[in-house]
Amino acid sequence: MDIVRLLPDSVANQIAAGEVIQRPASCLKELVENSLDAGATRIQVVLRDAGRTLLQVVDNGQGMSSTDARMAFERHATSKIKEAADLFHLHTMGFRGEALASICAVATVEVQTRREEDELGTLIEISGSEVIRQEPVQCPKGTNMRVKNLFFNVPARRRFLRTDQTEMRNLMTEFARIVLVNPEVQFTLIHQDEVLMDLKAGTEKQRIEAYFGRSQRHPYSGQLIDIHVETELVNIHGYIGKPENASRSAQQYFFVNKRYMRHTYFHKAVMTAYQGLLHGETNPSYFIYFDINPEAIDVNIHPTKTEIKFADEQLIFPILLAAVREALGKFNLSPSIDFNTQGQVEMPVASSSKAPVSFASFIKQDSSYNPFSPSPKNVVDQRWQQLYPTTESAGLPTADQTLFDNEPTAIGQVYQLGNRYIVLPLAEGLMLIDQHRAHALLLYDQCLKRLQDHKGEIQQLLFPEVWDVGLEDESLVESLSDYLHSLGFELSRLTRGSYSVSGIPALAGQQSALVALQQIVDNVRELGPVAKDERERCIAWSMADSAAQPYGKQFTTTEMTALASQLFARGDYKHTPNGKIVCTILSNEQINSMF
Ligand code: ADP
Ligand code: MG
């Protein structure tokens, strides 16, 4: 008996759906892209339960005839390409003809659609690939797609979905990638009957500002630098963030021919242009748009992948690098800034906004700090490593561990190198201490203690600051409120996604405290679910790292000596909790071998 059979379409579609539709966010992407392809100028997205129960996209695009509306749900049914050759000059987002077939295989879809020239529109309801009804209907011009109960017939998929909060974040990520590159289209996003986004048509820059708002984390209003270059090969334009606005959670977007893409090689070009301009481990934001002949790129890879291949990426790299460099240079941010030149880079200083507090008094001021308290050991674990990949280990000379056996005793004058390192001559060689990390390590102990004792010293702000967290992170902030309070933050909720900050930890300056708040949220989010003490360490370190004295800050001899002795008293002072080197010794042998 022969046993090979063709699968029924409904089963084949369900299998294919797994590829295209993995979660509500992928469904949103496909539907909105269809609306854009249909020439819509207004798109409304309505969600219920993060798209699980309802995911609706309403557009004012060209609509479909009743036959097309039925055909559209067949696999490989598309109006966008006719033959293989068309793949090389795509001007639409879709072309595979798989999305609707996939969606209707794993959900109940109700579509109402009407073309301008038709008097009556068409209503079709399909559930699990089966047409339930098709009838004429009175409806506005355009298309209204309602996707209900996504994955109702694929329990494994449904279980695979994460919390509403996570799915919502995925939806927002997908939404951002689309709206940022289609500023001429008006978008509305509604979740549980609440309007989350209402974006008017405008320019790219206006769209970026409207999307990210004037939040602390994304201070974009009037802050973005334009980049622009036209060549025969490619046209590049966009907006890049000033180096001083860089943060750990930067917004970085590349688009090519109105499509979001990830491109690690081009990312490197941008980062190279910023070299030497960034503070610590921060990243610049960028929104860069490429226009290129569609034949010179290949988007025909996996439907959910965002990587795009460029035929001439080697040639485009230097064009992009030069464009970003030029833009940074134009704004007088010469890439040769180093930490020897004071005052060029504005950095958060850990002092009150009024009188600058000297570093030594800053250490002394904290009576709770006990240099002899045992330090938390072995806090370097895998998750931390992932969160902050260590770069030091690569190819750099590492100090002979035995050199650290004795408590270091300085045998000469301590001095500061490049406003970045503290240099201490020892009998065994030269000790180099990273000033920022060393200070952060000391503050870390204080922060950890406050978190554990639940008593932070609060510094009241004369004028409360507004902190925009964004809707996605609001529940995260709520879950952190006890920790934040223990550190010394006084927060009250203003409106959805924004807080008033009326008090900050005594150990931080106003500016760095706000940076710290955001860092805490970003790092905890990235860390994901972990045990309480690990979360506390992450929070303490985020706070300490933001509040610590920055590179570029000049120290007095007294301050340096105080810092070094507090550090040595700590016992465990060679690494930060996330495994970065705080100090190292250049041994006499190493020095001798150089000559
Ligand atoms: P693709 O976008 O790859 O062509 P889809 O399955 O997403 O495949 O859509 C199939 C077809 O349905 C499209 O080619 C288009 O003709 C039609 N279609 C889908 N959504 C819309 C819409 N919102 N407005 C008008 N036509 C649409
Ligand atoms: Mg499509």
Side-chain angles (χ1 to χ4, degrees):
M1 190 177 75
D2 300 329
I3 52 170
V4 176
R5 268 169 298 178
L6 281 175
L7 289 172
D9 272 358
S10 60
V11 180
N13 284 343
Q14 204 172 322
I15 294 170
E19 293 274 295
V20 190
I21 306 298
Q22 291 159 336
R23 47 178 11 112
S26 26
C27 186
L28 174 85
K29 169 177 185 282
E30 294 296 338
L31 295 184
V32 175
E33 286 186 351
N34 280 347
S35 297
L36 290 168
D37 284 344
T41 56
R42 212 172 57 228
I43 298 176
Q44 189 180 51
V45 178
V46 182
L47 304 170
R48 194 153 280 287
D49 306 319
R52 274 173 233 265
T53 326
L54 176 71
L55 200 158
Q56 179 178 21
V57 176
V58 188
D59 70 48
N60 63 350
Q62 70 196 22
M64 289 175 269
S65 73
S66 66
T67 324
D68 283 351
R70 175 66 196 85
M71 265 299 281
F73 289 91
E74 295 293 331
R75 199 129 60 95
H76 307 306
T78 179
S79 56
K80 299 170 194 174
I81 58 174
K82 290 202 179 75
E83 52 193 37
D86 293 343
L87 279 174
F88 299 98
H89 32 84
L90 283 172
H91 290 281
T92 53
M93 301 300 294
F95 56 86
R96 298 184 186 85
E98 297 180 308
L100 291 185
S102 300
I103 294 169
C104 78
V106 294
T108 300
V109 181
E110 191 193 292
V111 53
Q112 294 191 20
T113 183
R114 184 174 72 82
R115 297 181 303 177
E116 179 110 71
E117 62 266 40
D118 300 330
E119 200 144 305
L120 274 183
T122 306
L123 180 153
I124 299 182
E125 190 179 344
I126 302 186
S127 186
S129 296
E130 270 187 52
V131 180
I132 307 223
R133 60 186 171 133
Q134 169 159 12
E135 58 205 44
V137 69
Q138 276 206 320
C139 63
K141 174 207 164 207
T143 302
N144 179 345
M145 288 268 179
R146 291 165 59 87
V147 175
K148 291 182 282 187
N149 304 325
L150 190 62
F151 302 131
F152 78 96
N153 53 355
V154 201
R157 273 277 159 194
R158 213 167 51 228
R159 272 197 300 276
F160 171 77
L161 293 181
R162 313 280 295 274
T163 59
D164 272 10
Q165 195 192 336
T166 309
E167 292 305 334
M168 215 37 218
R169 192 152 50 231
N170 288 323
L171 283 158
M172 295 298 278
T173 302
E174 214 57 76
F175 189 69
R177 290 173 179 180
I178 296 173
V179 302
L180 291 176
V181 75
N182 291 287
E184 68 289 350
V185 178
Q186 183 190 332
F187 285 93
T188 316
L189 178 68
I190 297 171
H191 184 223
Q192 319 290 54
D193 298 324
E194 188 171 359
V195 180
L196 297 187
M197 289 271 169
D198 191 11
L199 303 166
K200 312 257 166 303
T203 63
E204 279 163 353
K205 217 172 186 172
Q206 287 167 338
R207 178 55 56 87
I208 295 168
E209 291 176 357
Y211 189 84
F212 293 107
R214 294 188 307 109
S215 68
Q216 177 68 23
R217 180 156 42 136
H218 312 294
Y220 290 147
S221 288
Q223 294 285 317
L224 292 168
I225 306 170
D226 290 36
I227 70 162
H228 188 86
V229 58
E230 284 183 21
T231 66
E232 288 205 345
L233 194 59
V234 64
N235 292 341
I236 304 172
H237 77 278
Y239 315 94
I240 59 175
K242 294 183 180 167
E244 64 264 34
N245 291 337
S247 71
R248 192 166 272 156
S249 63
Q251 298 295 333
Q252 302 183 327
Y253 292 88
F254 282 132
F255 302 97
V256 58
N257 296 353
K258 303 217 100 182
R259 197 184 288 271
Y260 170 83
M261 70 163 175
R262 220 189 276 276
H263 208 292
T264 42
Y265 187 57
F266 292 163
H267 172 73
K268 218 172 188 170
V270 176
M271 295 308 285
T272 308
Y274 275 92
Q275 228 162 45
L277 295 171
L278 299 173
H279 168 54
E281 285 138 36
T282 57
N283 291 305
S285 289
Y286 60 75
F287 305 85
I288 297 178
Y289 304 75
F290 296 77
D291 283 301
I292 191 162
N293 181 344
E295 290 179 37
I297 55 170
D298 183 6
V299 293
N300 190 17
I301 44 179
H302 194 273
T304 57
K305 293 265 161 66
T306 45
E307 281 81 10
I308 288 183
K309 277 210 68 61
F310 281 62
D312 303 305
E313 55 183 30
Q314 312 272 8
L315 300 173
I316 296 174
F317 185 99
I319 299 174
L320 176 61
L321 173 62
V324 177
R325 270 214 178 122
E326 196 205 46
L328 289 173
K330 251 195 208 143
F331 282 77
N332 230 349
L333 306 156
S334 138
S336 64
I337 285 183
D338 62 24
F339 291 101
N340 290 313
T341 42
Q342 278 236 297
Q344 287 205 33
V345 197
E346 235 189 75
M347 285 187 255
V349 175
S351 63
S352 95
S353 52
K354 284 168 241 125
V357 182
S358 94
F359 181 32
S361 68
F362 179 55
I363 292 180
K364 274 187 243 124
Q365 149 193 328
D366 180 52
S367 47
S368 69
Y369 176 65
N370 172 8
F372 300 103
S373 71
S375 57
K377 288 265 187 282
N378 193 27
V379 284
V380 183
D381 69 42
Q382 260 191 326
R383 301 191 76 115
W384 278 84
Q385 298 281 21
Q386 283 166 358
L387 189 51
Y388 310 105
T390 318
T391 44
E392 273 89 340
S393 48
L396 287 175
T398 46
D400 177 355
Q401 288 304 307
T402 58
L403 290 174
F404 283 99
D405 284 353
N406 307 318
E407 162 123 2
T409 327
I411 56 161
Q413 177 76 24
V414 49
Y415 64 97
Q416 200 179 5
L417 182 68
N419 287 347
R420 192 181 175 102
Y421 302 104
I422 294 166
V423 184
L424 209 59
L426 308 176
E428 302 86 346
L430 273 183
M431 176 177 267
L432 300 168
I433 304 174
D434 182 302
Q435 67 182 48
H436 170 77
R437 291 178 188 170
H439 187 212
L441 192 58
L442 297 176
L443 291 182
Y444 169 73
D445 293 341
Q446 298 178 18
C447 294
L448 206 55
K449 192 157 183 341
R450 287 180 186 172
L451 284 174
Q452 284 155 359
D453 300 349
H454 303 287
K455 47 168 195 256
E457 278 174 59
I458 300 176
Q459 187 184 149
Q460 296 293 338
L461 294 182
L462 207 49
F463 303 105
E465 287 271 349
V466 175
W467 178 39
D468 285 318
V469 220
L471 292 168
E472 321 94 87
D473 284 331
E474 195 187 275
S475 49
L476 184 58
V477 172
E478 291 298 317
S479 72
L480 291 177
S481 68
D482 280 350
Y483 296 103
L484 295 174
H485 191 252
S486 298
L487 276 177
F489 284 107
E490 257 181 13
L491 301 177
S492 49
R493 197 162 168 273
L494 284 176
T495 53
R496 297 216 46 187
S498 87
Y499 290 81
S500 150
V501 184
S502 54
I504 58 170
L507 55 74
Q510 183 160 344
Q511 205 187 343
S512 57
L514 290 168
V515 173
L517 265 179
Q518 194 59 55
Q519 289 288 283
I520 292 171
V521 171
D522 291 342
N523 291 344
V524 168
R525 183 195 327 106
E526 259 179 78
L527 194 63
V530 289
K532 184 162 179 281
D533 54 343
E534 192 176 341
R535 183 175 259 216
E536 282 177 355
R537 290 197 295 265
C538 175
I539 294 171
W541 177 252
S542 311
M543 179 72 224
D545 192 26
S546 307
Q549 293 288 354
Y551 300 117
K553 161 88 182 166
Q554 204 166 17
F555 289 169
T556 64
T557 310
T558 326
E559 288 168 343
M560 288 189 281
T561 315
L563 178 68
S565 59
Q566 300 246 9
L567 199 63
F568 302 151
R570 191 181 189 271
D572 179 6
Y573 56 86
K574 277 169 288 180
H575 294 97
T576 63
N578 52 329
K580 303 252 174 182
I581 294 172
V582 174
C583 64
T584 188
I585 298 176
L586 204 55
S587 70
N588 291 330
E589 289 91 273
Q590 280 174 314
I591 297 174
N592 291 338
S593 70
M594 293 174 188
F595 296 92

